[in-house]
Amino acid sequence: MEVSAIELLIRGRRTIRQFNEQPLSKETIVDLLEAAVWAPVHSRKEPWRFILFMEAGRKQFADAVLHTFSKDELERWGPKLQNDYCERIQAHLLIVIEADPRQREWEDAVGAGSALIQNIQLLAWEQKIGVVWKTNEYNFDPDFCRMTGVKPGERIIGTLHLGYFDQDKIPKPRPRTPARELLTCISAAGGEEQQ
């Protein structure tokens, strides 16, 4: 069976953590978002909004992250983070959803937001743009949220770092468990399992 282009894209995508300093335009990111919002949404309302830090705005993002660090973390990671977040990585994108107290609505929003993030990653990869999806502790820090423009009643479900990277430094794939080994198939009366 011939492998489709979308399957090759899915299997070929990697998380990128080492970026070069090649400029990435706001228009390119907006184009990625315009396509990514076609992710499946289970409610009538799209649950997300986006906060983008680029160019000089990257310092605001870096400062908000550093604000959450302990003194030891600042000494250890501060200079490297400033360099990476303000020079090497070209964009920081927060994916924000409403913090709905109703479990079903919350789970639907998180699921839709996760599908949107996967769309961004695949669309970016197709254009040779690297992405790392972070769910670090700072995403849950009230000061970080305030400093980055997240409103009360909203939650960050992902921080995406985007930028170009050296094509000869693509990470090797991590193994995946074959889906066949994780599948329980109920196809007979009485709920008997078949492998």
Side-chain angles (χ1 to χ4, degrees), residues 9-51:
L9 185 62
I10 291 168
R11 288 178 179 266
R13 185 207 60 81
R14 300 285 178 269
T15 295
I16 298 297
R17 291 183 172 84
Q18 298 296 320
F19 300 87
N20 60 35
E21 297 180 26
Q22 180 181 339
L24 174 63
S25 74
K26 176 184 170 187
E27 291 72 28
T28 298
I29 293 175
V30 171
D31 289 345
L32 294 175
L33 289 171
E34 291 290 3
V37 296
W38 289 92
V41 177
H42 297 293
S43 65
R44 293 182 182 175
K45 182 172 111 173
E46 295 170 51
W48 46 64
R49 77 180 187 91
F50 316 109
I51 305 172

Side-chain angles (χ1 to χ4, degrees), residues 48-63:
W48 46 64
R49 77 180 187 91
F50 316 109
I51 305 172
L52 178 61
F53 300 87
M54 297 189 76
E55 300 170 350
R58 294 177 295 177
K59 185 174 184 327
Q60 179 180 340
F61 176 84
D63 288 347

Side-chain angles (χ1 to χ4, degrees), residues 99-131:
D100 200 308
R102 299 167 296 176
Q103 183 174 354
R104 178 179 174 188
E105 285 73 6
W106 169 251
E107 289 180 4
D108 283 351
V110 170
S114 298
L116 171 123
I117 290 170
Q118 174 69 342
N119 282 354
I120 293 169
Q121 292 183 102
L122 293 173
L123 291 159
W125 190 258
E126 190 174 45
Q127 295 186 43
K128 300 188 180 340
I129 299 167
V131 180

Side-chain angles (χ1 to χ4, degrees), residues 2-192:
E2 188 175 333
V3 179
S4 69
I6 188 69
E7 182 178 347
L8 287 172
L9 185 62
I10 291 168
R11 288 178 179 266
R13 185 207 60 81
R14 300 285 178 269
T15 295
I16 298 297
R17 291 183 172 84
Q18 298 296 320
F19 300 87
N20 60 35
E21 297 180 26
Q22 180 181 339
L24 174 63
S25 74
K26 176 184 170 187
E27 291 72 28
T28 298
I29 293 175
V30 171
D31 289 345
L32 294 175
L33 289 171
E34 291 290 3
V37 296
W38 289 92
V41 177
H42 297 293
S43 65
R44 293 182 182 175
K45 182 172 111 173
E46 295 170 51
W48 46 64
R49 77 180 187 91
F50 316 109
I51 305 172
L52 178 61
F53 300 87
M54 297 189 76
E55 300 170 350
R58 294 177 295 177
K59 185 174 184 327
Q60 179 180 340
F61 176 84
D63 288 347
V65 172
L66 291 171
H67 183 78
T68 69
F69 281 18
S70 68
K71 185 178 179 184
D72 289 343
E73 289 171 324
L74 279 172
E75 288 175 10
R76 183 174 181 191
W77 300 109
K80 179 181 182 340
L81 185 140
Q82 280 282 8
N83 181 58
D84 285 351
Y85 282 13
C86 295
E87 299 296 332
R88 299 185 75 77
I89 301 171
Q90 294 300 300
H92 309 287
L93 179 66
L94 302 182
I95 312 298
V96 178
I97 63 173
E98 292 178 25
D100 200 308
R102 299 167 296 176
Q103 183 174 354
R104 178 179 174 188
E105 285 73 6
W106 169 251
E107 289 180 4
D108 283 351
V110 170
S114 298
L116 171 123
I117 290 170
Q118 174 69 342
N119 282 354
I120 293 169
Q121 292 183 102
L122 293 173
L123 291 159
W125 190 258
E126 190 174 45
Q127 295 186 43
K128 300 188 180 340
I129 299 167
V131 180
V132 58
W133 174 6
K134 296 277 186 86
T135 54
N136 289 2
E137 288 299 317
Y138 59 71
N139 284 347
F140 306 95
D141 185 287
D143 286 341
F144 174 82
C145 291
R146 178 183 49 77
M147 292 172 73
T148 56
V150 177
K151 298 174 185 172
E154 292 181 326
R155 297 291 179 270
I156 301 167
I157 61 163
T159 297
L160 305 184
H161 304 301
L162 299 98
Y164 292 104
F165 60 98
D166 297 332
Q167 295 295 306
D168 61 344
K169 295 182 180 173
I170 295 175
K172 292 193 179 335
R174 291 190 347 213
R176 295 292 197 268
T177 304
R180 192 175 301 280
E181 295 177 21
L182 304 170
L183 175 66
T184 300
C185 179
I186 312 290
S187 59
E192 294 177 26

